[in-house]
mmCIF file of all heavy atoms in Angstrom:
data_model
loop_
_atom_site.group_PDB
_atom_site.id
_atom_site.type_symbol
_atom_site.label_atom_id
_atom_site.label_comp_id
_atom_site.label_asym_id
_atom_site.label_seq_id
_atom_site.Cartn_x
_atom_site.Cartn_y
_atom_site.Cartn_z
ATOM 1 N N ASP A 699 118.140 90.352 79.244
ATOM 2 C CA ASP A 699 117.298 90.147 78.079
ATOM 3 C C ASP A 699 117.921 89.200 77.059
ATOM 4 O O ASP A 699 117.347 88.896 76.021
ATOM 5 C CB ASP A 699 116.874 91.449 77.421
ATOM 6 C CG ASP A 699 118.066 92.225 76.926
ATOM 7 O OD1 ASP A 699 119.206 91.709 76.995
ATOM 8 O OD2 ASP A 699 117.865 93.412 76.524
ATOM 9 N N GLY A 700 119.151 88.741 77.385
ATOM 10 C CA GLY A 700 119.852 87.805 76.489
ATOM 11 C C GLY A 700 120.564 88.498 75.322
ATOM 12 O O GLY A 700 121.136 87.813 74.463
ATOM 13 N N GLU A 701 120.451 89.801 75.267
ATOM 14 C CA GLU A 701 121.019 90.581 74.125
ATOM 15 C C GLU A 701 122.449 90.966 74.377
ATOM 16 O O GLU A 701 122.726 92.149 74.620
ATOM 17 C CB GLU A 701 120.132 91.764 73.843
ATOM 18 C CG GLU A 701 118.747 91.436 73.384
ATOM 19 C CD GLU A 701 118.669 90.708 72.037
ATOM 20 O OE1 GLU A 701 119.549 90.998 71.172
ATOM 21 O OE2 GLU A 701 117.860 89.791 71.909
ATOM 22 N N GLY A 702 123.372 90.010 74.417
ATOM 23 C CA GLY A 702 124.758 90.327 74.477
ATOM 24 C C GLY A 702 125.323 90.452 75.893
ATOM 25 O O GLY A 702 124.653 90.003 76.865
ATOM 26 N N LEU A 703 126.562 91.004 75.970
ATOM 27 C CA LEU A 703 127.282 91.093 77.200
ATOM 28 C C LEU A 703 127.615 92.554 77.496
ATOM 29 O O LEU A 703 127.677 93.413 76.626
ATOM 30 C CB LEU A 703 128.630 90.269 77.087
ATOM 31 C CG LEU A 703 128.506 88.806 76.697
ATOM 32 C CD1 LEU A 703 129.877 88.237 76.362
ATOM 33 C CD2 LEU A 703 127.880 87.999 77.823
ATOM 34 N N PHE A 704 127.926 92.800 78.800
ATOM 35 C CA PHE A 704 128.497 94.088 79.161
ATOM 36 C C PHE A 704 129.551 93.924 80.240
ATOM 37 O O PHE A 704 129.679 92.866 80.854
ATOM 38 C CB PHE A 704 127.353 95.036 79.642
ATOM 39 C CG PHE A 704 126.728 94.652 80.973
ATOM 40 C CD1 PHE A 704 127.212 95.187 82.149
ATOM 41 C CD2 PHE A 704 125.677 93.778 81.023
ATOM 42 C CE1 PHE A 704 126.643 94.810 83.425
ATOM 43 C CE2 PHE A 704 125.098 93.423 82.228
ATOM 44 C CZ PHE A 704 125.541 93.942 83.401
ATOM 45 N N VAL A 705 130.303 94.982 80.417
ATOM 46 C CA VAL A 705 131.448 94.917 81.369
ATOM 47 C C VAL A 705 131.031 95.694 82.622
ATOM 48 O O VAL A 705 130.524 96.838 82.552
ATOM 49 C CB VAL A 705 132.694 95.542 80.745
ATOM 50 C CG1 VAL A 705 133.827 95.694 81.829
ATOM 51 C CG2 VAL A 705 133.183 94.775 79.572
ATOM 52 N N ASP A 706 131.247 95.075 83.802
ATOM 53 C CA ASP A 706 130.885 95.690 85.091
ATOM 54 C C ASP A 706 132.184 95.823 85.922
ATOM 55 O O ASP A 706 132.811 94.849 86.301
ATOM 56 C CB ASP A 706 129.896 94.807 85.812
ATOM 57 C CG ASP A 706 129.276 95.452 87.023
ATOM 58 O OD1 ASP A 706 129.386 96.683 87.128
ATOM 59 O OD2 ASP A 706 128.677 94.760 87.850
ATOM 60 N N MET A 707 132.560 97.077 86.202
ATOM 61 C CA MET A 707 133.787 97.294 86.951
ATOM 62 C C MET A 707 133.563 96.931 88.430
ATOM 63 O O MET A 707 132.462 96.934 88.917
ATOM 64 C CB MET A 707 134.179 98.786 86.818
ATOM 65 C CG MET A 707 134.408 99.284 85.432
ATOM 66 S SD MET A 707 135.661 98.334 84.530
ATOM 67 C CE MET A 707 137.171 98.749 85.490
ATOM 68 N N PRO A 708 134.694 96.553 89.146
ATOM 69 C CA PRO A 708 134.535 96.180 90.553
ATOM 70 C C PRO A 708 133.945 97.312 91.358
ATOM 71 O O PRO A 708 134.312 98.494 91.184
ATOM 72 C CB PRO A 708 135.955 95.861 91.006
ATOM 73 C CG PRO A 708 136.833 96.470 89.957
ATOM 74 C CD PRO A 708 136.081 96.466 88.694
ATOM 75 N N SER A 709 132.992 96.986 92.265
ATOM 76 C CA SER A 709 132.249 98.001 93.003
ATOM 77 C C SER A 709 132.019 97.555 94.459
ATOM 78 O O SER A 709 132.265 96.412 94.768
ATOM 79 C CB SER A 709 130.935 98.312 92.330
ATOM 80 O OG SER A 709 130.107 97.153 92.273
ATOM 81 N N TYR A 710 131.482 98.507 95.237
ATOM 82 C CA TYR A 710 131.128 98.214 96.594
ATOM 83 C C TYR A 710 129.881 98.936 97.006
ATOM 84 O O TYR A 710 129.449 99.865 96.299
ATOM 85 C CB TYR A 710 132.255 98.635 97.598
ATOM 86 C CG TYR A 710 132.465 100.082 97.667
ATOM 87 C CD1 TYR A 710 131.812 100.820 98.707
ATOM 88 C CD2 TYR A 710 133.139 100.827 96.715
ATOM 89 C CE1 TYR A 710 131.951 102.170 98.819
ATOM 90 C CE2 TYR A 710 133.291 102.195 96.797
ATOM 91 C CZ TYR A 710 132.675 102.888 97.831
ATOM 92 O OH TYR A 710 132.784 104.248 97.933
ATOM 93 N N ARG A 711 129.257 98.492 98.077
ATOM 94 C CA ARG A 711 128.004 99.141 98.564
ATOM 95 C C ARG A 711 128.382 100.318 99.421
ATOM 96 O O ARG A 711 129.026 100.210 100.450
ATOM 97 C CB ARG A 711 127.177 98.160 99.332
ATOM 98 C CG ARG A 711 125.793 98.650 99.765
ATOM 99 C CD ARG A 711 124.950 97.603 100.410
ATOM 100 N NE ARG A 711 125.583 97.126 101.609
ATOM 101 C CZ ARG A 711 125.281 95.966 102.166
ATOM 102 N NH1 ARG A 711 124.442 95.168 101.626
ATOM 103 N NH2 ARG A 711 125.898 95.606 103.253
ATOM 104 N N SER A 712 127.949 101.496 99.012
ATOM 105 C CA SER A 712 128.204 102.725 99.764
ATOM 106 C C SER A 712 127.180 102.893 100.882
ATOM 107 O O SER A 712 126.279 102.060 101.064
ATOM 108 C CB SER A 712 128.149 103.942 98.835
ATOM 109 O OG SER A 712 126.838 104.212 98.452
ATOM 110 N N ASN A 713 127.306 103.962 101.582
ATOM 111 C CA ASN A 713 126.345 104.275 102.656
ATOM 112 C C ASN A 713 125.070 104.953 102.139
ATOM 113 O O ASN A 713 124.114 105.229 102.891
ATOM 114 C CB ASN A 713 126.954 105.193 103.740
ATOM 115 C CG ASN A 713 128.067 104.491 104.489
ATOM 116 O OD1 ASN A 713 127.994 103.264 104.689
ATOM 117 N ND2 ASN A 713 129.075 105.172 104.917
ATOM 118 N N GLU A 714 125.032 105.204 100.838
ATOM 119 C CA GLU A 714 123.895 105.902 100.276
ATOM 120 C C GLU A 714 122.829 104.893 99.846
ATOM 121 O O GLU A 714 123.078 103.710 99.639
ATOM 122 C CB GLU A 714 124.352 106.684 99.059
ATOM 123 C CG GLU A 714 125.374 107.712 99.310
ATOM 124 C CD GLU A 714 125.872 108.419 98.077
ATOM 125 O OE1 GLU A 714 125.192 108.312 97.036
ATOM 126 O OE2 GLU A 714 126.972 109.012 98.090
ATOM 127 N N VAL A 715 121.593 105.425 99.713
ATOM 128 C CA VAL A 715 120.454 104.632 99.186
ATOM 129 C C VAL A 715 119.773 105.448 98.128
ATOM 130 O O VAL A 715 119.822 106.648 98.108
ATOM 131 C CB VAL A 715 119.429 104.226 100.314
ATOM 132 C CG1 VAL A 715 120.091 103.295 101.338
ATOM 133 C CG2 VAL A 715 118.907 105.485 100.983
ATOM 134 N N ASP A 716 119.098 104.765 97.213
ATOM 135 C CA ASP A 716 118.356 105.418 96.155
ATOM 136 C C ASP A 716 116.962 105.818 96.670
ATOM 137 O O ASP A 716 116.641 105.611 97.796
ATOM 138 C CB ASP A 716 118.320 104.601 94.851
ATOM 139 C CG ASP A 716 117.579 103.249 95.072
ATOM 140 O OD1 ASP A 716 116.805 103.121 96.016
ATOM 141 O OD2 ASP A 716 117.753 102.377 94.201
ATOM 142 N N ILE A 717 116.143 106.358 95.798
ATOM 143 C CA ILE A 717 114.793 106.838 96.166
ATOM 144 C C ILE A 717 113.910 105.689 96.643
ATOM 145 O O ILE A 717 112.905 105.911 97.299
ATOM 146 C CB ILE A 717 114.155 107.628 95.038
ATOM 147 C CG1 ILE A 717 114.032 106.743 93.771
ATOM 148 C CG2 ILE A 717 114.963 108.896 94.742
ATOM 149 C CD1 ILE A 717 113.244 107.416 92.647
ATOM 150 N N ASN A 718 114.245 104.441 96.293
ATOM 151 C CA ASN A 718 113.481 103.323 96.728
ATOM 152 C C ASN A 718 114.031 102.634 97.950
ATOM 153 O O ASN A 718 113.550 101.596 98.369
ATOM 154 C CB ASN A 718 113.386 102.286 95.558
ATOM 155 C CG ASN A 718 112.656 102.851 94.345
ATOM 156 O OD1 ASN A 718 111.631 103.517 94.481
ATOM 157 N ND2 ASN A 718 113.208 102.656 93.128
ATOM 158 N N GLY A 719 115.105 103.222 98.517
ATOM 159 C CA GLY A 719 115.694 102.692 99.711
ATOM 160 C C GLY A 719 116.719 101.558 99.456
ATOM 161 O O GLY A 719 117.177 100.915 100.351
ATOM 162 N N ASN A 720 117.034 101.335 98.167
ATOM 163 C CA ASN A 720 118.007 100.287 97.862
ATOM 164 C C ASN A 720 119.445 100.807 97.947
ATOM 165 O O ASN A 720 119.660 102.009 97.666
ATOM 166 C CB ASN A 720 117.805 99.804 96.399
ATOM 167 C CG ASN A 720 116.425 99.146 96.256
ATOM 168 O OD1 ASN A 720 115.997 98.397 97.064
ATOM 169 N ND2 ASN A 720 115.691 99.508 95.201
ATOM 170 N N PRO A 721 120.380 100.004 98.339
ATOM 171 C CA PRO A 721 121.773 100.466 98.479
ATOM 172 C C PRO A 721 122.325 100.890 97.155
ATOM 173 O O PRO A 721 122.029 100.329 96.063
ATOM 174 C CB PRO A 721 122.536 99.226 98.993
ATOM 175 C CG PRO A 721 121.660 98.067 98.607
ATOM 176 C CD PRO A 721 120.276 98.546 98.668
ATOM 177 N N VAL A 722 123.167 101.938 97.181
ATOM 178 C CA VAL A 722 123.834 102.451 95.964
ATOM 179 C C VAL A 722 125.251 101.864 95.893
ATOM 180 O O VAL A 722 125.990 101.919 96.891
ATOM 181 C CB VAL A 722 123.904 103.990 95.993
ATOM 182 C CG1 VAL A 722 124.753 104.525 94.856
ATOM 183 C CG2 VAL A 722 122.500 104.598 95.952
ATOM 184 N N TYR A 723 125.569 101.310 94.764
ATOM 185 C CA TYR A 723 126.903 100.714 94.559
ATOM 186 C C TYR A 723 127.763 101.694 93.772
ATOM 187 O O TYR A 723 127.327 102.347 92.835
ATOM 188 C CB TYR A 723 126.806 99.400 93.823
ATOM 189 C CG TYR A 723 126.290 98.259 94.640
ATOM 190 C CD1 TYR A 723 124.925 98.107 94.891
ATOM 191 C CD2 TYR A 723 127.182 97.343 95.251
ATOM 192 C CE1 TYR A 723 124.450 97.113 95.728
ATOM 193 C CE2 TYR A 723 126.715 96.283 96.059
ATOM 194 C CZ TYR A 723 125.356 96.208 96.264
ATOM 195 O OH TYR A 723 124.837 95.200 97.080
#
């Protein structure tokens, strides 16, 4: 939304999926 910055720690794709079938990081 252009409202500032955030910090994202290093991650990986697990074997899990969310309720929509998308991979969980």
